[in-house]
Amino acid sequence: MKVTSISRKLLTRVLSVYFILTVSVTGIQIIAEYFNTKSHINSELLTLQKTISGSLTRAVWELNTQQAIDISEGLIAIPMIKGITVSDEANKVITQLGEVINESALAEADEIELNSDHQSVSSLSDGLFGHSFPLIFEFSGRTTTVGTVTLLSSNDVIFSRIEVGIYFLIGNAMVKTAFLVFLFSIAFNKLLTQPLHELTEQIKQLDLNDPEASKLHTMNYEKNELNILEDAYNNLIDELVAFKDKLALSQRETNSANDKLDEQNLLLEQEVARKTSSLSSNMLKMELQQKEMLSQQKQLEDENIRRRKTEDTLIATNRELKSSILELSKAQDRLLDAEKMSSLGMLSAEVSHEINTPIGISITSTSYLSDIIGKLEQDVSEQKISKRALESFVNNANHSIELLLNNLTRASELIASFKQVAVDQTNDKVRLINVAKFIDEIIQSLHPKLKKTNHSIKVHCDQTIEIYSHPGAIAQIIINLIINSILHGFENINRGEIDIDITMDHQRLHLRFADNGRGIAPEQLNQLFTPFYTTKSEQGGTGLGTHIIKNLVVDTLNGNIKVQSNLGEGLSYQIDFPDMRYS
């Protein structure tokens, strides 16, 4: 008859329930991780919407197709973005890159959710999802929808982000299950299998000739069912011994002559039984010790195998983490380039608007000059010319020419300043720059934005300071600092002041930028250089301005930056970097 192990059967049932529960919980965690990652990607898409909507709206409104294509190419380079479509107000596609949700798939979308400023779209067949939002241009207090933008991501992005997490959850569940199996096996073997085996072996050694020597003696000091079984068996032995004593007494009464001989034989048999029992006990202990040694050897082999597997997993995980860090670094560089181009685009739009004023005045003066010349020709042809008319013509002509020269010179200076700043911002080459003159050119390029306010900028710099450095990085730093002061520091302040102090010491340029704005709190100061941290997210802020400043100072210029601020006491930056000809 086949014997079924109670401990093995009980262990199988317990571990089966635990395995089913572990698989279910792990599956739920993976599904939750999927939806959580998808929600996070949707949030990132919404953040990108706020970041690019302004520049794309301006490009579509001004029919600047190339700028729209450049912005789209910058976005499609982000690993999270799998597709982008930009169309005008007539739904005519301006640019379309990457994946696209066709009309039939869009009709079968499993999730369409309308909000005030965007529409979520998805496709089960293509594994795509994303947002479609309108491009709204504000002009003279009125808003006009000039086009739409669709940003798409895919399930592949989600799976690539949670792949390591899935492996960790599965590995964690496997390790816990293996450990539980190992723990339960030891517990069942120690508490049930071994005690039952010992009781069985002792019961098998029952000697009817010497029942007293066959009593059960276990090493288990806990009161449980095995102790009850042991006590019952020992009571049975005691009754058997008592019965045997009565039988021996009867035999002594009937055959008193053989009592002594029987006693001697009984003593001899008892002595042999004791020695045999002692020998058997020693053999049993040796067998148990041998089994324990084999079990320990097996445990050591299993532990070595588990450690090798863990080491291989850690090596693979480390390799994947290095790859992920490299990808994140590349994505950060793309975001920095996109932020530079966005800043340059806004600066270009404002400079273009500023140039329109002197050019418009020049056109008006030219038209007026043409009219008075025509009138003079008419008077000459009709011979009605007089000295007073000639003097009036000369005065008006000189005034018109003076207006033309002044305004065209103004437009030329704006174009030259913007051209130099734009070239420096898009060119990473090192060149010799006169710091004072270069700072004046940067502030001149920001004049269209500054003239709308009552704020003032004071620059203190020796006109002879010249260094070899990255002019584009310096321009980007100064522009971002000034714009941050205008947008954040001078909020609700009518007349703000900005002081820029520049000195040269031991081949290092020291730049102190300070404003008298409202300052920031200590807890916000600790987050100032954190990427995407902004207090103007609802107004389109990206939180990359100060992060870009720190990267340019530390990485590009090989310098240092420190910041100090208190609420109501303004904000100041201490920046220093070396002259690269001495680096």
Side-chain angles (χ1 to χ4, degrees):
M1 180 178 180
K2 185 178 179 181
V3 178
T4 302
S5 174
I6 297 176
S7 60
R8 182 177 298 175
K9 188 173 182 180
L10 182 59
L11 180 63
T12 301
R13 292 185 178 181
V14 171
L15 293 179
S16 298
V17 174
Y18 176 80
F19 178 79
I20 294 172
L21 181 61
T22 301
V23 171
S24 301
V25 171
T26 303
I28 292 173
Q29 289 178 334
I30 292 173
I31 294 172
E33 186 72 11
Y34 170 83
F35 284 105
N36 183 48
T37 303
K38 184 174 182 181
S39 175
H40 184 68
I41 291 176
N42 282 327
S43 298
E44 292 180 5
L45 291 178
L46 289 177
T47 302
L48 280 179
Q49 170 193 338
K50 297 176 181 178
T51 302
I52 68 171
S53 60
S55 57
L56 272 177
T57 300
R58 175 67 64 177
V60 174
W61 172 257
E62 295 178 351
L63 301 180
N64 192 342
T65 304
Q66 184 58 44
Q67 183 179 353
I69 293 174
D70 292 341
I71 295 173
S72 301
E73 289 177 349
L75 290 173
I76 200 67
I78 300 175
M80 176 186 69
I81 304 299
K82 294 299 180 182
I84 179 172
T85 302
V86 180
S87 58
D88 58 16
E89 58 183 347
N91 290 328
K92 180 180 178 181
V93 176
I94 296 175
T95 178
Q96 190 174 73
L97 301 174
E99 301 288 345
V100 180
I101 297 182
N102 55 42
E103 295 181 357
S104 59
L106 187 61
E108 299 174 359
D110 61 336
E111 178 187 354
I112 296 180
E113 177 183 348
L114 294 176
N115 290 326
S116 60
D117 57 351
H118 72 273
Q119 172 179 306
S120 298
V121 294
S122 64
S123 172
L124 289 174
S125 59
D126 298 330
L128 299 173
F129 64 92
H131 296 290
S132 179
F133 58 91
L135 298 175
I136 300 176
F137 182 77
E138 293 187 5
F139 180 74
S140 299
R142 293 179 297 175
T143 59
T144 302
T145 301
V146 298
T148 58
V149 178
T150 301
L151 296 177
L152 296 177
S153 188
S154 69
N155 290 334
D156 294 337
V157 178
I158 298 176
F159 292 139
S160 66
R161 288 193 179 185
I162 67 174
E163 182 178 2
V164 176
I166 291 175
Y167 289 155
F168 177 79
L169 288 175
I170 295 175
N172 184 36
M174 293 175 64
V175 169
K176 289 194 293 186
T177 303
F179 180 76
L180 193 62
V181 170
F182 173 73
L183 186 63
F184 272 40
S185 299
I186 293 177
F188 277 79
N189 184 59
K190 182 177 180 181
L191 299 177
L192 188 60
T193 303
Q194 290 185 2
L196 285 176
H197 180 73
E198 292 177 1
L199 288 176
T200 303
E201 291 297 326
Q202 292 186 33
I203 291 173
K204 288 180 179 179
Q205 296 174 7
L206 175 63
D207 186 1
L208 295 176
N209 294 323
D210 188 9
E212 186 68 22
S214 301
K215 281 188 176 183
L216 298 179
H217 301 283
T218 64
M219 299 300 292
N220 185 16
Y221 297 100
E222 298 178 359
K223 295 298 181 180
N224 52 30
E225 290 80 357
L226 295 177
N227 294 103
I228 296 175
L229 179 61
E230 176 184 346
D231 293 338
Y233 181 81
N234 290 334
N235 291 333
L236 179 62
I237 294 297
D238 291 336
E239 293 178 0
L240 181 61
V241 171
F243 177 78
K244 191 173 182 179
D245 291 337
K246 292 179 181 180
L247 181 61
L249 182 59
S250 299
Q251 289 178 349
R252 284 196 298 272
E253 291 176 354
T254 57
N255 195 2
S256 57
N258 295 325
D259 284 345
K260 292 182 180 181
L261 181 60
D262 292 337
E263 289 177 2
Q264 291 297 326
N265 290 334
L266 181 60
L267 292 174
L268 182 59
E269 290 174 357
Q270 288 177 350
E271 184 66 20
V272 172
R274 289 191 185 93
K275 291 182 178 181
T276 303
S277 177
S278 176
L279 181 61
S280 300
S281 177
N282 291 332
M283 292 295 294
L284 180 60
K285 289 180 180 179
M286 292 179 63
E287 291 177 359
L288 291 175
Q289 291 177 354
Q290 184 180 8
K291 289 182 179 180
E292 289 178 357
M293 292 179 63
L294 292 175
S295 176
Q296 291 177 356
Q297 183 180 2
K298 183 66 170 59
Q299 292 174 8
L300 289 174
E301 292 176 354
D302 293 340
E303 179 67 17
N304 289 333
I305 294 173
R306 186 184 66 81
R307 288 186 177 181
R308 282 197 297 269
K309 290 182 178 179
T310 303
E311 183 179 359
D312 294 339
T313 303
L314 289 175
I315 292 173
T317 303
N318 188 36
R319 191 181 298 112
E320 292 174 359
L321 286 174
K322 289 182 179 178
S323 176
S324 300
I325 291 172
L326 182 61
E327 290 297 328
L328 285 174
S329 178
K330 292 181 179 178
Q332 186 182 31
D333 292 339
R334 298 190 192 102
L335 280 175
L336 293 177
D337 292 338
E339 182 70 11
K340 289 181 181 178
M341 296 305 297
S342 176
S343 175
L344 189 59
M346 290 189 290
L347 182 62
S348 175
E350 293 185 355
V351 170
S352 298
H353 178 73
E354 180 69 10
I355 291 173
N356 286 335
T357 300
I359 290 179
I361 295 174
S362 299
I363 292 173
T364 302
S365 297
T366 303
S367 177
Y368 175 71
L369 185 60
S370 177
D371 290 340
I372 64 177
I373 290 173
K375 187 176 183 304
L376 179 63
E377 289 178 348
Q378 183 180 356
D379 291 342
V380 170
S381 64
E382 294 177 358
Q383 297 183 353
K384 295 180 179 180
I385 190 68
S386 64
K387 182 179 179 181
R388 184 177 181 180
L390 283 174
E391 290 176 352
S392 176
F393 169 77
V394 170
N395 291 333
N396 291 333
N398 287 333
H399 181 67
S400 298
I401 290 173
E402 183 180 356
L403 284 176
L404 277 171
L405 289 175
N406 290 338
N407 285 280
L408 289 177
T409 301
R410 172 62 179 160
S412 176
E413 290 175 353
L414 284 173
I415 292 172
S417 297
F418 170 70
K419 179 180 177 182
Q420 185 61 55
V421 173
V423 168
D424 287 334
Q425 283 191 264
T426 56
N427 191 347
D428 291 334
K429 292 184 178 179
V430 176
R431 69 177 177 88
L432 179 66
I433 59 176
N434 183 289
V435 178
K437 183 178 179 181
F438 185 63
I439 296 297
D440 289 339
E441 290 178 350
I442 295 171
I443 296 175
Q444 182 73 10
S445 67
L446 290 173
H447 178 72
K449 194 170 190 70
L450 291 171
K451 77 169 190 175
K452 301 176 184 178
T453 68
N454 295 322
H455 309 314
S456 63
I457 300 178
K458 298 179 181 178
V459 179
H460 307 281
C461 178
D462 189 345
Q463 298 292 327
T464 62
I465 295 179
E466 293 184 344
I467 64 170
Y468 274 94
S469 189
H470 293 274
I474 298 174
Q476 186 73 20
I477 292 170
I478 299 298
I479 290 172
N480 281 7
L481 289 176
I482 293 175
I483 291 177
N484 278 353
S485 293
I486 294 174
L487 295 180
H488 301 280
F490 297 150
E491 185 177 11
N492 300 325
I493 295 177
N494 185 30
R495 294 182 180 274
E497 294 183 359
I498 297 176
D499 290 319
I500 302 177
D501 295 321
I502 300 174
T503 58
M504 194 76 180
D505 183 28
H506 296 91
Q507 286 79 48
R508 290 187 72 87
L509 188 73
H510 299 274
L511 187 150
R512 180 181 180 272
F513 181 96
D515 63 40
N516 64 343
R518 58 196 185 100
I520 59 177
E523 60 272 13
Q524 294 177 331
L525 191 65
N526 294 333
Q527 300 289 330
L528 187 62
F529 296 119
T530 302
F532 302 108
Y533 174 78
T534 178
T535 59
K536 301 280 187 180
S537 59
E538 70 281 356
Q539 300 178 16
T542 63
L544 289 175
T546 53
H547 179 64
I548 290 174
I549 292 173
K550 183 176 181 181
N551 281 352
L552 290 174
V553 172
V554 176
D555 298 335
T556 305
L557 301 180
N558 195 25
N560 300 306
I561 182 170
K562 297 179 181 179
V563 60
Q564 293 180 346
S565 179
N566 289 309
L567 281 176
E569 299 180 4
L571 182 72
S572 66
Y573 293 88
Q574 295 287 346
I575 301 173
D576 67 272
F577 52 88
D579 187 340
M580 291 192 174
R581 70 182 119 186
Y582 301 108
S583 299

